[in-house]
Amino acid sequence: PNYNPAAMVPVKGVGSRVWDQKGDEYIDFAGGIAVNVLGHCHPELVAALKEQSEKLWHLSNVFTNEPALRLAKKLTDATFAERVYFANSGAEANEAALKLARRYAIDHFGPEKDQIISFKQGFH
């Protein structure tokens, strides 16, 4: 792994709290690092997950699905965006962002503007 896991092992979560194997309670300040901060076991999320679990669990990103289409519509209706890209990982999201930045630079400043600076050993 990239880093050592914490010494405590969470076994249960509710809202922003988690409990370890010994029953000690913690505030989960790291919940969903770089993904989401939805907390744990919210009744509405649990219900949505149970409902979806009886339909489809996972689809490759070569397919779309009805919940993704509904969310994309909500996002485009509420923002400046005309389209939405759902990435599978931080690496894919960053790759898409870099390609978008390069396309924007080429379209607005010319084909010589195609270089992107990155950091050696960056996380994604």
Side-chain angles (χ1 to χ4, degrees):
N2 292 332
Y3 45 85
N4 289 328
M8 65 82 86
V9 178
V11 295
K12 174 184 155 186
V14 176
S16 63
R17 311 266 178 187
V18 293
W19 287 262
D20 69 8
Q21 296 166 315
K22 296 182 280 183
D24 293 332
E25 180 179 349
Y26 300 85
I27 298 174
D28 185 3
F29 287 111
I33 293 176
V35 178
N36 64 58
V37 189
L38 300 175
H40 301 276
C41 303
H42 189 282
E44 290 183 37
L45 290 174
V46 170
L49 288 169
K50 284 181 178 178
E51 180 184 339
Q52 185 61 42
S53 73
E54 295 179 3
K55 297 175 183 176
L56 292 169
W57 282 30
H58 176 268
L59 291 173
S60 165
N61 60 357
V62 300
F63 300 104
T64 190
N65 59 76
E66 290 175 344
L69 291 171
R70 287 192 299 272
L71 178 58
K73 176 85 169 103
K74 286 181 180 180
L75 291 170
T76 56
D77 287 349
T79 68
F80 64 89
E82 296 173 8
R83 293 185 287 178
V84 174
Y85 171 70
F86 293 113
N88 215 26
S89 68
E92 286 181 0
N94 281 307
E95 178 183 0
L98 292 171
K99 288 178 177 178
L100 180 62
R102 185 173 57 199
R103 171 54 51 206
Y104 182 89
I106 290 170
D107 289 349
H108 289 83
F109 303 107
E112 68 282 356
K113 296 288 187 179
D114 63 350
Q115 301 296 304
I116 296 175
I117 298 171
S118 66
F119 293 93
K120 185 177 181 179
Q121 297 180 330
F123 184 60
H124 281 298

